[in-house]
Amino acid sequence: MSGGWNTIESDAGVFTFLLNNLGVQNVQFEELLTLEPEALAELYPIYGVIFLFKYPTDTPYTSTDKPLDGSFDRDAAERLWFAAQTIQNACGTQALLSVLMNRDSSEVDIGGQLQDFKEFTLALPPEFRGEALSNSELIRDVHNSFARSSPFVDETQRQGGETEDAFHFVAYTPIDGTLYELDGLQPAPISHGACTTEDFPTKVIEVLQRRIARYDMSEIRFNLMAMVRDRRVTAREIGDVEMLAREERKRRDWQFENALRRHNFVGFAGAVLKGVVDMKLKQGDGAYEKWIEDAKAKTRQRLESRKKGGGEDVEMEG
């Protein structure tokens, strides 16, 4: 059962404002387009990363004995904030919380409500932490506020046993000198060995490269985002006026995009189309028919171009 949790996009703007709306101060996400440690190191200070990947359906994903990489640290679940995932569609929010809840208060101000939630759930075993998360109205409502509006519901049944690709988020963060992978579908935190804050960019990229190497060469649907300190704070500290302006512009763009996600434009699009049709009909002299034929020709041209270019883009959600 999803428990009323909707799917949200893997997007730096979504995750940044999700944190803001939860009361977290001076933290943002940055999407990484390369697996170069230098690109991650440039974002210092880095609190952790969250990684989106295609969930494997042809091989077992979880194991009680040994993970595919690293080793289970079962004792760590008692001293870290690690929660079992008990609901669908919330793995992105759970991954960012896995990084956030394991940062010291001297590093990140998570706000009063999340601090209360953290203190309450730390006394619980991982499976009950997951249940507490699923039942948190605050976190669920903020999470769902970033779900994309969808006016259509597809009630058709898939035939022939066809299944839709599923995607999953996991978190990586350095805690007390160890690089941990925090995945709510695994029975315990996974240790990837000793790791300082300075070593984190290099160490985590090595782990991610090994993980990606387990997929076919044709699989490119991955997404990596870093949780870092608000870049505007860094810009002010170093007196970089251009960087500050760039980051402020980015925030405005994110706000605009997030606002668009909350609305559907079916009614608006219908009204515009009706208006255009009425205008073409009033023009006469075959203007409407010519408009239709021109649109058909452009559509055929796009389809041919798409075939030559290797297909459509694929949007990933977690």
Side-chain angles (χ1 to χ4, degrees):
M1 298 293 291
S2 64
W5 292 71
N6 299 324
T7 300
I8 62 174
E9 295 179 54
S10 175
D11 179 84
V14 168
F15 280 66
T16 295
F17 279 92
L18 192 156
L19 287 180
N20 288 353
N21 292 356
L22 286 172
V24 181
Q25 301 295 314
N26 297 327
V27 178
Q28 74 175 67
F29 277 89
E30 282 289 320
E31 185 172 2
L32 293 164
L33 302 179
T34 175
L35 285 178
E36 295 296 330
E38 294 78 13
L40 182 56
E42 289 176 358
L43 301 173
Y44 184 86
I46 309 155
Y47 306 128
V49 300
I50 60 175
F51 182 61
L52 175 68
F53 57 94
K54 180 183 174 183
Y55 183 85
T57 56
D58 55 344
T59 58
Y61 179 73
T62 60
S63 170
T64 57
D65 299 324
K66 189 180 186 303
L68 294 176
D69 193 15
S71 59
F72 288 128
D73 187 345
R74 300 182 188 277
D75 294 335
E78 301 298 324
R79 64 180 186 276
L80 307 182
W81 196 90
F82 173 77
Q85 184 175 328
T86 61
I87 48 175
Q88 296 176 352
N89 299 334
C91 60
T93 295
Q94 182 159 335
L96 70 85
L97 288 175
S98 293
V99 174
L100 194 66
M101 296 294 200
N102 286 297
R103 305 272 45 97
D104 189 83
S105 59
S106 62
E107 296 178 274
V108 177
D109 179 4
I110 65 175
Q113 290 180 298
L114 277 186
Q115 184 63 41
D116 290 343
F117 178 79
K118 176 181 177 179
E119 292 174 358
F120 169 71
T121 53
L122 274 175
L124 305 174
E127 58 271 21
F128 290 162
R129 289 177 197 158
E131 289 294 339
L133 173 59
S134 69
N135 290 315
S136 170
E137 292 186 8
L138 167 68
I139 300 173
R140 183 176 64 244
D141 289 348
V142 171
H143 169 101
N144 285 343
S145 71
F146 290 93
R148 185 166 48 186
S149 176
S150 179
F152 304 113
V153 177
D154 183 6
E155 296 180 348
T156 61
Q157 297 292 325
R158 292 181 175 269
Q159 299 179 358
E162 181 184 358
T163 58
E164 185 177 359
D165 287 340
F167 294 88
H168 183 54
F169 282 100
V170 296
Y172 295 88
T173 184
I175 307 172
D176 297 332
T178 300
L179 172 57
Y180 281 105
E181 175 184 335
L182 302 175
D183 180 352
L185 295 182
Q186 297 289 358
I190 297 175
S191 169
H192 289 283
C195 178
T196 64
T197 302
E198 292 73 20
D199 293 336
F200 177 68
T202 300
K203 295 283 189 180
V204 74
I205 292 300
E206 290 174 354
V207 173
L208 290 171
Q209 287 174 335
R210 291 197 298 269
R211 181 165 207 146
I212 291 173
R214 296 200 293 267
Y215 285 82
D216 291 336
M217 292 290 292
S218 60
E219 181 58 69
I220 60 172
R221 291 171 294 177
F222 303 101
N223 183 257
L224 179 63
M225 289 188 290
M227 182 188 290
V228 301
R229 185 174 63 169
D230 190 330
R231 302 288 287 163
R232 297 173 300 178
V233 175
T234 301
R236 293 188 186 103
E237 287 181 350
I238 63 178
D240 192 330
V241 177
E242 291 184 1
M243 177 182 175
L244 180 59
R246 186 169 62 250
E247 292 299 324
E248 292 286 7
R249 185 168 57 251
K250 182 193 298 180
R251 291 291 178 122
R252 291 193 296 271
D253 291 343
W254 282 346
Q255 282 184 305
F256 178 70
E257 292 166 3
N258 288 337
L260 291 181
R261 287 183 176 92
R262 296 188 178 96
H263 303 281
N264 78 73
F265 297 91
V266 174
F268 173 75
V272 169
L273 182 59
K274 182 178 179 181
V276 173
V277 169
D278 288 343
M279 180 183 68
K280 293 294 182 181
L281 290 174
K282 288 177 181 178
Q283 288 178 359
D285 297 327
Y288 174 75
E289 289 76 11
K290 183 178 183 301
W291 178 54
I292 294 295
E293 291 305 318
D294 287 346
K296 288 180 179 179
K298 288 181 180 178
T299 299
R300 286 193 292 268
Q301 185 179 1
R302 290 194 190 99
L303 290 174
E304 289 299 324
S305 176
R306 186 175 296 165
K307 289 178 182 178
K308 293 178 182 179
E312 301 180 53
D313 292 337
V314 177
E315 182 177 283
M316 298 183 297
E317 298 177 339

